PDB file of all heavy atoms in Angstrom:
ATOM      1  N   CYS A  13       0.830  -1.203   0.000  1.00 98.00           N
ATOM      2  CA  CYS A  13       0.000   0.000   0.000  1.00 98.00           C
ATOM      3  C   CYS A  13       0.866   1.255   0.000  1.00 98.00           C
ATOM      4  O   CYS A  13       2.047   1.204   0.325  1.00 98.00           O
ATOM      5  CB  CYS A  13      -0.891   0.034   1.243  1.00 98.00           C
ATOM      6  SG  CYS A  13      -2.395  -0.923   1.118  1.00 98.00           S
ATOM      7  N   LYS A  14       0.251   2.364  -0.333  1.00 98.00           N
ATOM      8  CA  LYS A  14       0.894   3.655  -0.172  1.00 98.00           C
ATOM      9  C   LYS A  14       0.696   4.127   1.262  1.00 98.00           C
ATOM     10  O   LYS A  14      -0.349   3.864   1.866  1.00 98.00           O
ATOM     11  CB  LYS A  14       0.308   4.680  -1.144  1.00 98.00           C
ATOM     12  CG  LYS A  14       0.576   4.364  -2.599  1.00 98.00           C
ATOM     13  CD  LYS A  14      -0.049   5.413  -3.502  1.00 98.00           C
ATOM     14  CE  LYS A  14       0.236   5.108  -4.971  1.00 98.00           C
ATOM     15  NZ  LYS A  14      -0.391   6.118  -5.872  1.00 98.00           N
ATOM     16  N   ALA A  15       1.698   4.829   1.793  1.00 98.00           N
ATOM     17  CA  ALA A  15       1.637   5.303   3.177  1.00 98.00           C
ATOM     18  C   ALA A  15       1.508   6.820   3.220  1.00 98.00           C
ATOM     19  O   ALA A  15       2.095   7.534   2.404  1.00 98.00           O
ATOM     20  CB  ALA A  15       2.885   4.870   3.933  1.00 98.00           C
ATOM     21  N   ALA A  16       0.723   7.298   4.187  1.00 98.00           N
ATOM     22  CA  ALA A  16       0.560   8.734   4.395  1.00 98.00           C
ATOM     23  C   ALA A  16       0.501   9.014   5.892  1.00 98.00           C
ATOM     24  O   ALA A  16       0.085   8.160   6.678  1.00 98.00           O
ATOM     25  CB  ALA A  16      -0.701   9.243   3.715  1.00 98.00           C
ATOM     26  N   LEU A  17       0.912  10.207   6.261  1.00 98.00           N
ATOM     27  CA  LEU A  17       0.838  10.650   7.648  1.00 98.00           C
ATOM     28  C   LEU A  17      -0.117  11.827   7.760  1.00 98.00           C
ATOM     29  O   LEU A  17      -0.188  12.673   6.855  1.00 98.00           O
ATOM     30  CB  LEU A  17       2.212  11.061   8.174  1.00 98.00           C
ATOM     31  CG  LEU A  17       3.111   9.964   8.736  1.00 98.00           C
ATOM     32  CD1 LEU A  17       4.490  10.524   9.062  1.00 98.00           C
ATOM     33  CD2 LEU A  17       2.494   9.319   9.978  1.00 98.00           C
ATOM     34  N   ALA A  18      -0.834  11.888   8.881  1.00 98.00           N
ATOM     35  CA  ALA A  18      -1.760  12.982   9.154  1.00 98.00           C
ATOM     36  C   ALA A  18      -1.293  13.761  10.377  1.00 98.00           C
ATOM     37  O   ALA A  18      -0.717  13.187  11.306  1.00 98.00           O
ATOM     38  CB  ALA A  18      -3.166  12.440   9.394  1.00 98.00           C
ATOM     39  N   VAL A  19      -1.573  15.065  10.362  1.00 97.00           N
ATOM     40  CA  VAL A  19      -1.283  15.912  11.519  1.00 97.00           C
ATOM     41  C   VAL A  19      -2.545  16.666  11.911  1.00 97.00           C
ATOM     42  O   VAL A  19      -3.269  17.194  11.060  1.00 97.00           O
ATOM     43  CB  VAL A  19      -0.134  16.905  11.244  1.00 97.00           C
ATOM     44  CG1 VAL A  19       1.185  16.169  11.081  1.00 97.00           C
ATOM     45  CG2 VAL A  19      -0.397  17.757  10.017  1.00 97.00           C
ATOM     46  N   LYS A  20      -2.805  16.710  13.207  1.00 95.00           N
ATOM     47  CA  LYS A  20      -3.927  17.478  13.728  1.00 95.00           C
ATOM     48  C   LYS A  20      -3.624  18.981  13.602  1.00 95.00           C
ATOM     49  O   LYS A  20      -2.468  19.382  13.426  1.00 95.00           O
ATOM     50  CB  LYS A  20      -4.159  17.135  15.201  1.00 95.00           C
ATOM     51  CG  LYS A  20      -4.604  15.713  15.458  1.00 95.00           C
ATOM     52  CD  LYS A  20      -4.805  15.506  16.963  1.00 95.00           C
ATOM     53  CE  LYS A  20      -5.230  14.099  17.306  1.00 95.00           C
ATOM     54  NZ  LYS A  20      -5.442  13.929  18.765  1.00 95.00           N
ATOM     55  N   PRO A  21      -4.661  19.825  13.737  1.00 94.00           N
ATOM     56  CA  PRO A  21      -4.447  21.274  13.593  1.00 94.00           C
ATOM     57  C   PRO A  21      -3.367  21.837  14.524  1.00 94.00           C
ATOM     58  O   PRO A  21      -2.656  22.767  14.150  1.00 94.00           O
ATOM     59  CB  PRO A  21      -5.824  21.867  13.913  1.00 94.00           C
ATOM     60  CG  PRO A  21      -6.783  20.808  13.475  1.00 94.00           C
ATOM     61  CD  PRO A  21      -6.110  19.504  13.842  1.00 94.00           C
ATOM     62  N   GLY A  22      -3.229  21.278  15.714  1.00 93.00           N
ATOM     63  CA  GLY A  22      -2.268  21.814  16.670  1.00 93.00           C
ATOM     64  C   GLY A  22      -0.879  21.210  16.585  1.00 93.00           C
ATOM     65  O   GLY A  22       0.025  21.603  17.338  1.00 93.00           O
ATOM     66  N   THR A  23      -0.671  20.270  15.672  1.00 96.00           N
ATOM     67  CA  THR A  23       0.620  19.586  15.547  1.00 96.00           C
ATOM     68  C   THR A  23       1.478  20.266  14.483  1.00 96.00           C
ATOM     69  O   THR A  23       1.020  20.459  13.358  1.00 96.00           O
ATOM     70  CB  THR A  23       0.417  18.109  15.161  1.00 96.00           C
ATOM     71  OG1 THR A  23      -0.371  17.466  16.170  1.00 96.00           O
ATOM     72  CG2 THR A  23       1.751  17.394  15.032  1.00 96.00           C
ATOM     73  N   PRO A  24       2.715  20.619  14.812  1.00 96.00           N
ATOM     74  CA  PRO A  24       3.590  21.234  13.808  1.00 96.00           C
ATOM     75  C   PRO A  24       3.808  20.299  12.621  1.00 96.00           C
ATOM     76  O   PRO A  24       4.004  19.102  12.792  1.00 96.00           O
ATOM     77  CB  PRO A  24       4.899  21.471  14.574  1.00 96.00           C
ATOM     78  CG  PRO A  24       4.499  21.509  16.009  1.00 96.00           C
ATOM     79  CD  PRO A  24       3.363  20.544  16.136  1.00 96.00           C
ATOM     80  N   VAL A  25       3.779  20.844  11.418  1.00 97.00           N
ATOM     81  CA  VAL A  25       3.906  20.007  10.225  1.00 97.00           C
ATOM     82  C   VAL A  25       5.303  19.420  10.102  1.00 97.00           C
ATOM     83  O   VAL A  25       5.488  18.368   9.469  1.00 97.00           O
ATOM     84  CB  VAL A  25       3.512  20.800   8.965  1.00 97.00           C
ATOM     85  CG1 VAL A  25       4.605  21.794   8.571  1.00 97.00           C
ATOM     86  CG2 VAL A  25       3.192  19.872   7.808  1.00 97.00           C
ATOM     87  N   ASP A  26       6.300  20.056  10.730  1.00 97.00           N
ATOM     88  CA  ASP A  26       7.658  19.524  10.584  1.00 97.00           C
ATOM     89  C   ASP A  26       7.864  18.203  11.313  1.00 97.00           C
ATOM     90  O   ASP A  26       8.896  17.551  11.142  1.00 97.00           O
ATOM     91  CB  ASP A  26       8.710  20.549  11.005  1.00 97.00           C
ATOM     92  CG  ASP A  26       8.586  21.012  12.440  1.00 97.00           C
ATOM     93  OD1 ASP A  26       7.777  20.441  13.204  1.00 97.00           O
ATOM     94  OD2 ASP A  26       9.308  21.973  12.812  1.00 97.00           O
ATOM     95  N   THR A  27       6.862  17.768  12.081  1.00 97.00           N
ATOM     96  CA  THR A  27       6.963  16.450  12.718  1.00 97.00           C
ATOM     97  C   THR A  27       6.956  15.322  11.693  1.00 97.00           C
ATOM     98  O   THR A  27       7.426  14.218  11.979  1.00 97.00           O
ATOM     99  CB  THR A  27       5.810  16.224  13.713  1.00 97.00           C
ATOM    100  OG1 THR A  27       4.554  16.399  13.037  1.00 97.00           O
ATOM    101  CG2 THR A  27       5.900  17.198  14.882  1.00 97.00           C
ATOM    102  N   VAL A  28       6.441  15.588  10.501  1.00 98.00           N
ATOM    103  CA  VAL A  28       6.419  14.547   9.452  1.00 98.00           C
ATOM    104  C   VAL A  28       7.664  14.580   8.574  1.00 98.00           C
ATOM    105  O   VAL A  28       7.889  13.657   7.787  1.00 98.00           O
ATOM    106  CB  VAL A  28       5.155  14.639   8.566  1.00 98.00           C
ATOM    107  CG1 VAL A  28       3.893  14.647   9.406  1.00 98.00           C
ATOM    108  CG2 VAL A  28       5.202  15.852   7.643  1.00 98.00           C
ATOM    109  N   TYR A  29       8.471  15.612   8.683  1.00 98.00           N
ATOM    110  CA  TYR A  29       9.609  15.780   7.779  1.00 98.00           C
ATOM    111  C   TYR A  29      10.586  14.601   7.769  1.00 98.00           C
ATOM    112  O   TYR A  29      11.093  14.233   6.702  1.00 98.00           O
ATOM    113  CB  TYR A  29      10.364  17.072   8.102  1.00 98.00           C
ATOM    114  CG  TYR A  29       9.648  18.349   7.694  1.00 98.00           C
ATOM    115  CD1 TYR A  29       8.384  18.325   7.097  1.00 98.00           C
ATOM    116  CD2 TYR A  29      10.232  19.592   7.905  1.00 98.00           C
ATOM    117  CE1 TYR A  29       7.730  19.494   6.741  1.00 98.00           C
ATOM    118  CE2 TYR A  29       9.589  20.765   7.542  1.00 98.00           C
ATOM    119  CZ  TYR A  29       8.341  20.715   6.968  1.00 98.00           C
ATOM    120  OH  TYR A  29       7.696  21.877   6.599  1.00 98.00           O
ATOM    121  N   PRO A  30      10.867  13.977   8.921  1.00 98.00           N
ATOM    122  CA  PRO A  30      11.819  12.858   8.889  1.00 98.00           C
ATOM    123  C   PRO A  30      11.348  11.657   8.061  1.00 98.00           C
ATOM    124  O   PRO A  30      12.154  10.774   7.743  1.00 98.00           O
ATOM    125  CB  PRO A  30      11.956  12.478  10.368  1.00 98.00           C
ATOM    126  CG  PRO A  30      11.557  13.693  11.132  1.00 98.00           C
ATOM    127  CD  PRO A  30      10.473  14.304  10.304  1.00 98.00           C
ATOM    128  N   TYR A  31      10.058  11.618   7.717  1.00 98.00           N
ATOM    129  CA  TYR A  31       9.491  10.438   7.053  1.00 98.00           C
ATOM    130  C   TYR A  31       9.092  10.702   5.604  1.00 98.00           C
ATOM    131  O   TYR A  31       8.575   9.809   4.934  1.00 98.00           O
ATOM    132  CB  TYR A  31       8.258   9.962   7.836  1.00 98.00           C
ATOM    133  CG  TYR A  31       8.495   9.876   9.312  1.00 98.00           C
ATOM    134  CD1 TYR A  31       8.030  10.871  10.179  1.00 98.00           C
ATOM    135  CD2 TYR A  31       9.224   8.818   9.860  1.00 98.00           C
ATOM    136  CE1 TYR A  31       8.271  10.801  11.542  1.00 98.00           C
ATOM    137  CE2 TYR A  31       9.469   8.749  11.231  1.00 98.00           C
ATOM    138  CZ  TYR A  31       8.989   9.750  12.053  1.00 98.00           C
ATOM    139  OH  TYR A  31       9.241   9.678  13.406  1.00 98.00           O
ATOM    140  N   LEU A  32       9.334  11.887   5.111  1.00 98.00           N
ATOM    141  CA  LEU A  32       8.814  12.283   3.802  1.00 98.00           C
ATOM    142  C   LEU A  32       9.280  11.393   2.660  1.00 98.00           C
ATOM    143  O   LEU A  32       8.544  11.184   1.695  1.00 98.00           O
ATOM    144  CB  LEU A  32       9.192  13.741   3.512  1.00 98.00           C
ATOM    145  CG  LEU A  32       8.439  14.796   4.334  1.00 98.00           C
ATOM    146  CD1 LEU A  32       9.027  16.175   4.071  1.00 98.00           C
ATOM    147  CD2 LEU A  32       6.949  14.773   4.031  1.00 98.00           C
ATOM    148  N   ASP A  33      10.488  10.854   2.769  1.00 97.00           N
ATOM    149  CA  ASP A  33      11.004  10.032   1.673  1.00 97.00           C
ATOM    150  C   ASP A  33      10.248   8.724   1.504  1.00 97.00           C
ATOM    151  O   ASP A  33      10.347   8.065   0.473  1.00 97.00           O
ATOM    152  CB  ASP A  33      12.495   9.760   1.858  1.00 97.00           C
ATOM    153  CG  ASP A  33      12.807   8.985   3.125  1.00 97.00           C
ATOM    154  OD1 ASP A  33      12.039   9.103   4.102  1.00 97.00           O
ATOM    155  OD2 ASP A  33      13.821   8.264   3.150  1.00 97.00           O
ATOM    156  N   LYS A  34       9.449   8.346   2.513  1.00 98.00           N
ATOM    157  CA  LYS A  34       8.675   7.109   2.446  1.00 98.00           C
ATOM    158  C   LYS A  34       7.191   7.346   2.137  1.00 98.00           C
ATOM    159  O   LYS A  34       6.449   6.388   1.909  1.00 98.00           O
ATOM    160  CB  LYS A  34       8.759   6.348   3.771  1.00 98.00           C
ATOM    161  CG  LYS A  34      10.151   5.879   4.166  1.00 98.00           C
ATOM    162  CD  LYS A  34      10.059   5.118   5.487  1.00 98.00           C
ATOM    163  CE  LYS A  34      11.405   4.578   5.935  1.00 98.00           C
ATOM    164  NZ  LYS A  34      11.283   3.831   7.214  1.00 98.00           N
ATOM    165  N   LEU A  35       6.776   8.606   2.154  1.00 98.00           N
ATOM    166  CA  LEU A  35       5.353   8.911   2.082  1.00 98.00           C
ATOM    167  C   LEU A  35       4.889   9.278   0.683  1.00 98.00           C
ATOM    168  O   LEU A  35       5.595   9.926  -0.078  1.00 98.00           O
ATOM    169  CB  LEU A  35       5.023  10.067   3.030  1.00 98.00           C
ATOM    170  CG  LEU A  35       5.344   9.859   4.515  1.00 98.00           C
ATOM    171  CD1 LEU A  35       5.029  11.140   5.297  1.00 98.00           C
ATOM    172  CD2 LEU A  35       4.572   8.676   5.089  1.00 98.00           C
ATOM    173  N   SER A  36       3.657   8.877   0.376  1.00 98.00           N
ATOM    174  CA  SER A  36       3.013   9.291  -0.871  1.00 98.00           C
ATOM    175  C   SER A  36       2.157  10.535  -0.658  1.00 98.00           C
ATOM    176  O   SER A  36       1.818  11.226  -1.622  1.00 98.00           O
ATOM    177  CB  SER A  36       2.132   8.166  -1.410  1.00 98.00           C
ATOM    178  OG  SER A  36       2.909   7.051  -1.783  1.00 98.00           O
ATOM    179  N   MET A  37       1.815  10.806   0.611  1.00 98.00           N
ATOM    180  CA  MET A  37       0.902  11.918   0.887  1.00 98.00           C
ATOM    181  C   MET A  37       1.033  12.329   2.346  1.00 98.00           C
ATOM    182  O   MET A  37       1.382  11.519   3.209  1.00 98.00           O
ATOM    183  CB  MET A  37      -0.537  11.466   0.582  1.00 98.00           C
ATOM    184  CG  MET A  37      -1.603  12.533   0.732  1.00 98.00           C
ATOM    185  SD  MET A  37      -3.220  11.961   0.103  1.00 98.00           S
ATOM    186  CE  MET A  37      -3.689  10.792   1.408  1.00 98.00           C
ATOM    187  N   VAL A  38       0.768  13.608   2.608  1.00 98.00           N
ATOM    188  CA  VAL A  38       0.614  14.103   3.970  1.00 98.00           C
ATOM    189  C   VAL A  38      -0.763  14.739   4.070  1.00 98.00           C
ATOM    190  O   VAL A  38      -1.164  15.515   3.191  1.00 98.00           O
ATOM    191  CB  VAL A  38       1.708  15.121   4.342  1.00 98.00           C
ATOM    192  CG1 VAL A  38       1.408  15.783   5.683  1.00 98.00           C
ATOM    193  CG2 VAL A  38       3.079  14.446   4.395  1.00 98.00           C
ATOM    194  N   LEU A  39      -1.484  14.387   5.124  1.00 98.00           N
ATOM    195  CA  LEU A  39      -2.808  14.946   5.379  1.00 98.00           C
ATOM    196  C   LEU A  39      -2.705  16.009   6.475  1.00 98.00           C
ATOM    197  O   LEU A  39      -2.304  15.715   7.597  1.00 98.00           O
ATOM    198  CB  LEU A  39      -3.779  13.837   5.815  1.00 98.00           C
ATOM    199  CG  LEU A  39      -5.107  14.256   6.445  1.00 98.00           C
ATOM    200  CD1 LEU A  39      -5.877  15.208   5.561  1.00 98.00           C
ATOM    201  CD2 LEU A  39      -5.941  13.029   6.784  1.00 98.00           C
ATOM    202  N   VAL A  40      -3.052  17.233   6.115  1.00 97.00           N
ATOM    203  CA  VAL A  40      -3.121  18.324   7.087  1.00 97.00           C
ATOM    204  C   VAL A  40      -4.592  18.504   7.465  1.00 97.00           C
ATOM    205  O   VAL A  40      -5.412  18.909   6.633  1.00 97.00           O
ATOM    206  CB  VAL A  40      -2.552  19.624   6.500  1.00 97.00           C
ATOM    207  CG1 VAL A  40      -2.715  20.778   7.497  1.00 97.00           C
ATOM    208  CG2 VAL A  40      -1.071  19.441   6.139  1.00 97.00           C
ATOM    209  N   MET A  41      -4.920  18.173   8.705  1.00 95.00           N
ATOM    210  CA  MET A  41      -6.301  18.295   9.161  1.00 95.00           C
ATOM    211  C   MET A  41      -6.675  19.763   9.291  1.00 95.00           C
ATOM    212  O   MET A  41      -5.956  20.543   9.912  1.00 95.00           O
ATOM    213  CB  MET A  41      -6.487  17.595  10.503  1.00 95.00           C
ATOM    214  CG  MET A  41      -6.316  16.077  10.483  1.00 95.00           C
ATOM    215  SD  MET A  41      -7.566  15.234   9.483  1.00 95.00           S
ATOM    216  CE  MET A  41      -9.086  15.658  10.339  1.00 95.00           C
ATOM    217  N   THR A  42      -7.810  20.124   8.706  1.00 94.00           N
ATOM    218  CA  THR A  42      -8.292  21.491   8.783  1.00 94.00           C
ATOM    219  C   THR A  42      -9.484  21.613   9.736  1.00 94.00           C
ATOM    220  O   THR A  42     -10.169  22.640   9.776  1.00 94.00           O
ATOM    221  CB  THR A  42      -8.668  22.007   7.380  1.00 94.00           C
ATOM    222  OG1 THR A  42      -9.437  21.010   6.679  1.00 94.00           O
ATOM    223  CG2 THR A  42      -7.408  22.284   6.573  1.00 94.00           C
ATOM    224  N   VAL A  43      -9.710  20.556  10.505  1.00 91.00           N
ATOM    225  CA  VAL A  43     -10.614  20.543  11.665  1.00 91.00           C
ATOM    226  C   VAL A  43      -9.996  19.582  12.678  1.00 91.00           C
ATOM    227  O   VAL A  43      -9.086  18.826  12.342  1.00 91.00           O
ATOM    228  CB  VAL A  43     -12.048  20.058  11.329  1.00 91.00           C
ATOM    229  CG1 VAL A  43     -12.722  20.985  10.336  1.00 91.00           C
ATOM    230  CG2 VAL A  43     -12.033  18.623  10.810  1.00 91.00           C
ATOM    231  N   GLU A  44     -10.503  19.594  13.890  1.00 86.00           N
ATOM    232  CA  GLU A  44     -10.083  18.584  14.852  1.00 86.00           C
ATOM    233  C   GLU A  44     -10.707  17.249  14.445  1.00 86.00           C
ATOM    234  O   GLU A  44     -11.903  17.179  14.166  1.00 86.00           O
ATOM    235  CB  GLU A  44     -10.535  18.958  16.269  1.00 86.00           C
ATOM    236  CG  GLU A  44      -9.797  20.140  16.875  1.00 86.00           C
ATOM    237  CD  GLU A  44      -8.320  19.868  17.092  1.00 86.00           C
ATOM    238  OE1 GLU A  44      -7.935  18.679  17.187  1.00 86.00           O
ATOM    239  OE2 GLU A  44      -7.548  20.834  17.181  1.00 86.00           O
TER     240      GLU A  44
END
């Protein structure tokens, strides 16, 4: 499967940066 990471509104987006080379997508939540 393809892998993606999600971040809640209060989570800094740079928390996903260490994993970007493995990800097909990042989900930025625009609600809780």
